[in-house]
């Protein structure tokens, strides 16, 4: 969890594998989650993720509930996973080249940012001059959203960004059945925007 501060001109080449049973798990190629410190937003500038991201939400034996089945599920992002309540993140001139694969759970997934918190209107993400080139593939998830730039955004802006990768969901673990309508939202730029004010 990055509390304030900056990550500038950093590159990740390592494959990230995360697995959890019935817990919220935030995963990012550069930063897992971010929150303000002394009212200062987190800055990520010039970051590159080349390492693949593999996230598995395993159902507990005593329950068929997956990761993040509460109001705020896990978040997976090629650069940043999650922005906490009332916090802000500036992501600039960053690129995700890595494939993102998520199996199970109730996650918001983005090539750049997975999601901002859903609870506080003061929560925001400004994503500027960013690109996603890594395919996003999800299996057996409980709906939610996946998109080339951000899965869920509460407030902020997306400017001068592009996605050239595929975003696809399968209802089974083998990749045989493409998800039918109602399983989630899957888009090229953003999955869902719960905006307020002039955002």
């Amino acid at each position: 969890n990055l509390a304030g501060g900056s990550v500038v001109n950093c590159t990740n080449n390592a494959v990230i594998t995360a697995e959890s049973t019935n817990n919220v798990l935030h995963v990012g190629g550069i930063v897992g989650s971010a929150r303000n410190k002394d009212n200062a937003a987190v800055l990520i500038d010039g970051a590159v993720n080349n390492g693949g991201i593999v996230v598995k939400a395993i159902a507990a034996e005593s329950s068929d509930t997956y990761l993040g089945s509460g109001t705020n599920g896990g978040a997976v992002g090629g650069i940043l996973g999650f922005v906490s309540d009332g916090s802000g993140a500036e992501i600039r001139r960053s690129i995700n080249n890595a494939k993102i694969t998520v199996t199970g759970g109730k996650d918001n997934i983005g090539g750049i940012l997975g999601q901002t918190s859903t609870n506080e209107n003061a929560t925001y993400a400004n994503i500027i001059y960013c690109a996603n080139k890594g395919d996003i593939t999800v299996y057996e998830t409980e709906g939610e959203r996946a998109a080339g730039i951000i899965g869920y955004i509460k407030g902020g802006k997306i400017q001068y960004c592009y996605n050239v990768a595929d975003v696809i969901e399968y209802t089974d673990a083998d990749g045989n059945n493409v998800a039918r309508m109602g399983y989630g939202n899957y888009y090229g730029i953003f999955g869902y925007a719960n905006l307020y004010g002039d955002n």
Side-chain angles (χ1 to χ4, degrees), residues 56-68:
K56 293 182 181 179
I58 308 297
E61 291 182 12
S62 61
S63 170
D64 60 357
T65 303
Y66 284 111
L67 161 70

Side-chain angles (χ1 to χ4, degrees), residues 2-199:
L2 181 62
S6 302
V7 177
V8 179
N9 297 332
C10 292
T11 299
N12 174 52
N13 293 316
V15 174
I16 298 169
T17 301
E19 193 171 287
S20 182
T21 303
N22 292 347
N23 291 307
V24 173
L25 183 67
H26 301 309
V27 180
I30 302 296
V31 176
S33 64
R35 62 183 171 86
N36 287 2
K37 183 176 182 183
D38 301 324
N39 295 318
V42 167
L43 170 66
I44 301 174
D45 191 359
V48 178
N49 179 42
N50 296 319
I53 299 174
V54 179
V55 176
K56 293 182 181 179
I58 308 297
E61 291 182 12
S62 61
S63 170
D64 60 357
T65 303
Y66 284 111
L67 161 70
S69 60
T71 54
N72 288 332
V76 181
I79 301 298
L80 171 60
F82 181 75
V83 179
S84 297
D85 285 2
S87 297
E90 299 271 346
I91 306 174
R92 304 175 187 161
R93 301 181 309 118
S94 297
I95 186 167
N96 176 55
N97 293 313
K99 181 175 181 179
I100 299 172
T101 305
V102 177
T103 302
K106 188 176 181 181
D107 300 90
N108 282 297
I109 305 155
I112 300 299
L113 172 59
Q115 83 171 73
T116 63
S117 170
T118 63
N119 295 327
E120 290 280 339
N121 282 349
T123 308
Y124 73 91
N126 293 331
I127 306 171
I128 305 167
Y129 294 113
C130 292
N132 178 56
K133 297 183 178 181
D135 289 345
I136 299 171
T137 310
V138 298
Y139 304 88
E140 298 184 313
T141 61
E142 295 181 39
E144 299 308 308
R145 302 128 192 125
I149 300 300
I150 184 169
Y152 178 106
I153 185 168
K154 178 67 174 175
K157 58 189 174 184
I158 302 168
Q159 292 182 303
Y160 312 112
C161 296
Y162 68 91
N163 171 52
V164 294
D166 293 333
V167 180
I168 191 167
E169 181 195 19
Y170 295 96
T171 60
D172 62 342
D174 299 319
N176 294 322
N177 299 303
V178 176
R180 64 180 183 271
M181 186 176 293
Y183 269 68
N185 301 305
Y186 299 88
Y187 298 108
I189 300 298
F190 69 89
Y192 184 80
N194 184 10
L195 303 179
Y196 64 94
D198 295 327
N199 289 276

